[in-house]
Amino acid sequence: MTSRPLHLHGIFHGEAAPCSDTPAHRIIALPAFNALVSDYALDPDTANIPPDNLADAALEHHHILQAYCADHALLPMRFGTLFSGIPALENAMQRERERYVRALQTLAGHREYSVEVLIGETVPAAPTSSATGRGFLSDRKQLRDLRRNISLDRQTFARDLLHRVGTVTAHPLHSGAPKPDKLLDVTTLLSEVALADLRRIAADADTRAKELGLKLRIMGPWPAYHVDPDALLQEAACHGA
């Protein structure tokens, strides 16, 4: 009977027992960090996997990582990172040890969070002044002007907030895919101090957001999906680390 490939979900620093309220997985202790792994039950060729099964497996991968990211410096691996067994995993981790150790050092004390500005309430209607033709045209113009002004004000609000988010973190901001219901969707690494600063910024901006029919929310912590170990190495080298 052929053994199943080993699926590497991520690596982390620190001691931890396997979380029981997640999909089945186990922790393998390596010389410099721990690995979160499970047996991979799907076809290694993703083209042969039904989309629903692939989506379910990707969600399980996320749930395993989510269980550890709040309390540990954790570097997630790309879904579908497979090894033939523990020796192959150990050899690969040894080869990449420097990259991953530096990445985990940067992640220590930081967690990934997202900031979203959602379009909630509809634009207020302009008052109806008259049933006459001239009054109707005047009402339509007021409504167009109102919508244009609110749209401009919302864009200005989102730009200003984006700038303020950038002032509390030294790490890059990553923008999500544009969506009709979102003016802003950015993700970054935050320290506890930076997160507290961001929450104060959000509280200060909340009244204006509501005036514009917007909803501002901070979400996380997430697994650090946007961390690039190579970029972290380059950044550390530039700073003489």
Side-chain angles (χ1 to χ4, degrees):
M1 180 178 178
T2 304
S3 61
R4 292 176 176 177
L6 202 63
H7 190 187
L8 175 63
H9 301 286
I11 60 174
F12 69 94
H13 270 157
E15 298 296 327
C19 295
S20 58
D21 57 347
T22 62
H25 67 283
R26 57 191 186 275
I27 298 173
I28 296 178
L30 299 171
F33 39 75
N34 297 317
L36 289 168
V37 303
S38 65
D39 294 327
Y40 191 72
L42 301 178
D43 191 320
D45 184 355
T46 55
N48 297 328
I49 305 174
D52 287 347
N53 292 358
L54 191 62
D56 289 343
L59 192 58
E60 290 181 354
H61 169 74
H62 170 75
H63 284 165
I64 292 171
L65 294 170
Q66 187 70 35
Y68 293 87
C69 71
D71 299 322
H72 299 83
L74 181 146
L75 181 67
M77 297 294 160
R78 185 185 299 275
F79 171 73
T81 301
L82 305 180
F83 297 91
S84 59
I86 292 178
L89 170 68
E90 291 174 338
N91 289 337
M93 294 298 97
Q94 179 60 34
R95 291 193 301 270
E96 301 295 333
R97 178 175 175 176
E98 180 184 0
R99 295 173 65 236
Y100 293 153
V101 166
R102 297 295 283 272
L104 289 170
Q105 288 174 344
T106 299
L107 286 169
H110 293 76
R111 301 293 180 265
E112 187 166 290
Y113 287 85
S114 58
V115 181
E116 298 179 342
V117 175
L118 297 92
I119 301 174
E121 301 173 6
T122 58
V123 177
T128 301
S129 60
S130 172
T132 66
R134 177 174 295 180
F136 174 78
L137 293 176
S138 176
D139 292 342
R140 291 291 298 273
K141 182 179 184 302
Q142 289 183 59
L143 183 58
R144 287 196 303 271
D145 291 345
L146 183 61
R147 286 175 172 169
R148 182 177 63 251
N149 292 338
I150 288 181
S151 178
L152 291 173
D153 288 344
R154 284 174 168 176
Q155 294 293 337
T156 298
F157 175 85
R159 285 196 301 270
D160 290 346
L161 181 63
L162 180 62
H163 171 73
R164 297 184 71 185
V165 172
T167 64
V168 302
T169 177
H171 296 280
L173 301 179
H174 303 273
S175 298
K179 293 183 179 179
D181 63 334
K182 289 184 182 180
L183 280 180
L184 187 66
D185 182 7
V186 295
T187 303
T188 189
L189 290 176
L190 297 172
S191 66
E192 290 187 7
V193 172
L195 177 61
D197 290 340
L198 180 61
R199 294 197 188 283
R200 283 192 288 270
I201 289 172
D204 291 343
D206 186 62
T207 299
R208 181 55 175 160
K210 290 178 179 177
E211 291 173 352
L212 295 172
L214 302 174
K215 181 179 180 180
L216 172 60
R217 65 183 183 186
I218 300 169
M219 301 179 67
W222 306 120
Y225 291 126
H226 297 89
V227 169
D228 178 356
D230 291 327
L232 293 178
L233 280 174
Q234 294 171 6
E235 181 180 350
C238 289
H239 290 83

